Amino acid sequence: MNLRKAPDFPYNFIDHMLFSEDEIKARVAELAAQITYDYRDSEKLLLLGLLRGSVIFITDLMRSINLPLTMDFMSVSSYAGSESTGFIRIDSDHKTNIYGWDVILVDDIADSGYTLYTIKKLLLERKPKSLKLCALLDKEERRKVDVPIDYRGFAIPDYFVVGYGLDIDEKGRNLPYIASVNLERYLANGGSK
Ligand code: IMP
Ligand code: MG
């Protein structure tokens, strides 16, 4: 991983760029190629994204998967600010009856792992044909529960990151690259901009 000066963007809490737009694009294409190969015999493939962080990732990913597929979403919350609580609330459930489907659960980042662990357990009770996990980013050293990520974009150190769908208090999702947040500067500004 190569920390660089981030291209100008009017958020003052951005520290360094971790992954550029082009690097993300290339990695997403690799993940999509792997999924295309692995699911070549699947008859019912569902990409199930967790709102809202996975939106940009899943929409890019699905357009590079060269197979028929369906997309659905669940909305879950696990966070107040930037600390995980281990308590996962389902705010809105998926619409598809996933019984018999090959499901890939897609999130922006695996941190403590509670979110993916909890939702995986819930989805397995609904008897999909198969269930795999996909996360663009993985903060391995923060993991509190054992949850293997089958398709992982990038492993990152323990930075708080924003961009490409990821946010801090709902800000920063529209950055086209992924950047670390300078939490001191963010908090000094009262958590704004
Ligand atoms: P986990 O349940 O602790 O694995 O947390 C997963 C969720 O926390 C993700 O879906 C993100 O919404 C959020 N999250 C964790 N780390 C970050 C980060 O560095 N930036 C933005 N959101 C994060
Ligand atoms: Mg999230």
Side-chain angles (χ1 to χ4, degrees), residues 29-46:
E30 286 174 359
L31 291 174
Q34 185 66 50
I35 290 170
T36 302
Y37 179 77
D38 293 349
Y39 288 85
R40 62 198 178 280
D41 296 325
S42 171
E43 280 164 16
K44 287 166 146 193
L45 175 59
L46 174 71

Side-chain angles (χ1 to χ4, degrees), residues 78-79 82-88 109-118 138-149 158:
S78 58
Y79 256 45
S82 67
E83 267 313 303
S84 179
T85 55
F87 174 74
I88 311 299
I109 187 165
D111 183 19
S112 69
Y114 284 130
T115 305
L116 287 170
Y117 177 85
T118 307
D138 185 2
K139 284 195 230 178
E140 280 171 318
E141 66 190 76
R142 297 256 307 167
R143 202 71 93 254
K144 299 233 173 63
V145 280
D146 184 31
V147 54
I149 311 296
D158 183 12

